[in-house]
Amino acid sequence: MPNPFFKNNGPVKVSEIIKFLNLNDKNIDQDKQIYDIKDLSSSTDKDITFFHSKKYRDIAKKTKASFCLTTDALKHDLPENCLALIVENVLVSTSKITSIFYPDS
């Protein structure tokens, strides 16, 4: 369901997200388009999600997202179809990425 309050400016190339967060992920298809940022349970293969706490481990294992902002300690709980983007602070990085998709929020 589209966000009724803010306009989504997606899609965004993964390369833009990696650059914006100053990451060094060279082994990722950086031309892939990401259409939105969503929570673990509602994300699709066109989305990026975030995983910041082990209490969400069971949900993380079932996520359909293509990419996930997470920590090195939590990346092993993601399914194979979801590539981990390792960041120092998941919630701060999530906020930054949200500003790309929803700059007016």
Side-chain angles (χ1 to χ4, degrees), residues 45-98:
D45 64 347
K46 294 182 178 186
D47 302 320
I48 188 169
T49 190
F50 55 97
F51 176 35
H52 70 287
S53 172
K54 62 184 174 183
K55 73 180 181 179
Y56 301 110
R57 182 175 286 145
D58 291 337
I59 299 169
K61 290 179 180 182
K62 298 175 187 174
T63 190
K64 303 284 190 257
S66 291
F67 297 93
C68 183
L69 301 171
T70 193
T71 63
D72 195 49
L74 295 173
K75 71 181 180 183
H76 304 291
D77 292 314
L78 294 170
E80 286 184 25
N81 63 297
C82 186
L83 299 174
L85 297 178
I86 307 303
V87 295
E88 286 185 38
N89 187 315
V90 175
L91 297 179
V92 169
S93 297
T94 299
S95 174
K96 289 178 180 180
I97 296 306
T98 301

